[in-house]
Amino acid sequence: GWQAVRWPMLQLDRQISYGNHEYDGPIKPHPFTAAQFGNQPHYTYRVLTVPGGTVLLVFLNSSVQFGAGSAQRVWLEQTFAANATASWKFIFTHHAAYSTGGAPLLSLRELTPLFDQHRIDLWVSGHVLWYERTLQYVGQATGYTSCADGICVTDSRLTGYLQGVGRIQVNPGCGGMRCYGTA
């Protein structure tokens, strides 16, 4: 379960999920970010070996295009195909697709069918400066009938995690900035 993933992840170097704070202008990297991380396409992945399998960690740039046919989307689809056997699949974005407050980046919701198809387990996002956690959910197209806002809860009890059935989205909160509390 989650405990097998936790310790190996704590051993990793920092990784950034690009968003609006890493840019001076529309797509021009901030000088500090460019100096620290180079002028990469700003999305990457890592595969981490854990007891019982592997974890695919995907870091997306929520400030550039990720719609169908975009360079980031094509890269993402290829990354999922190349790592289809990963035991766990985690996505990291700067912006949140769902939030009870703040401003979710609604266009990120376009990724929901792709995340459903590839059985993403966890989606961690920032930008929203308070802690939020969803119940485990999938997109509306997966056949569940009790849905709202385009997502369907797969387990409303918070008693466990059903691996490969849906994902949990977490907005961890402060990330080193001032906290606004819990939504």
Side-chain angles (χ1 to χ4, degrees):
W2 291 106
Q3 292 303 320
V5 175
R6 183 177 175 265
W7 180 250
M9 284 189 65
L10 290 172
Q11 306 309 306
L12 293 175
D13 291 334
R14 266 183 267 179
Q15 180 67 49
I16 193 169
S17 289
Y18 274 70
N20 60 302
H21 299 288
E22 287 70 46
Y23 293 96
D24 268 346
I27 301 293
K28 182 181 165 203
H30 187 279
F32 171 78
T33 306
Q36 291 292 313
F37 301 102
N39 291 308
Q40 306 300 319
H42 311 301
Y43 40 89
T44 187
Y45 77 95
R46 294 183 70 171
V47 177
L48 181 64
T49 301
V50 297
T54 57
V55 181
L56 173 64
L57 306 168
V58 177
F59 303 88
L60 299 177
N61 184 338
S62 58
S63 288
V64 299
Q65 295 294 316
F66 45 80
S70 68
Q72 184 170 218
R73 178 69 170 258
V74 169
W75 172 87
L76 180 60
E77 291 168 351
Q78 292 170 347
T79 299
F80 285 157
N83 295 282
T85 60
S87 310
W88 297 90
K89 296 175 185 163
F90 296 172
I91 302 293
F92 299 87
T93 57
H94 175 80
H95 292 90
Y98 299 95
S99 177
T100 57
L105 188 60
L106 299 179
S107 57
L108 272 173
R109 295 180 187 186
E110 295 173 24
L111 296 172
T112 296
L114 185 63
F115 290 175
D116 290 340
Q117 176 187 351
H118 293 281
R119 300 176 185 254
I120 301 305
D121 297 293
L122 180 67
W123 187 351
V124 179
S125 54
H127 195 73
V128 177
L129 297 179
W130 49 75
Y131 174 80
E132 296 179 297
R133 177 203 187 275
T134 67
L135 298 168
Q136 191 172 0
Y137 73 91
V138 293
Q140 198 157 1
T142 54
Y144 284 84
T145 55
S146 178
C147 305
D149 202 18
I151 62 173
C152 312
V153 173
T154 60
D155 183 9
S156 61
R157 297 166 291 155
L158 288 177
T159 56
Y161 178 77
L162 307 172
Q163 191 172 3
V165 176
R167 79 196 127 278
I168 293 170
Q169 182 169 334
V170 176
N171 298 330
C174 307
M177 297 179 67
R178 66 193 175 282
C179 254
Y180 293 133
T182 301

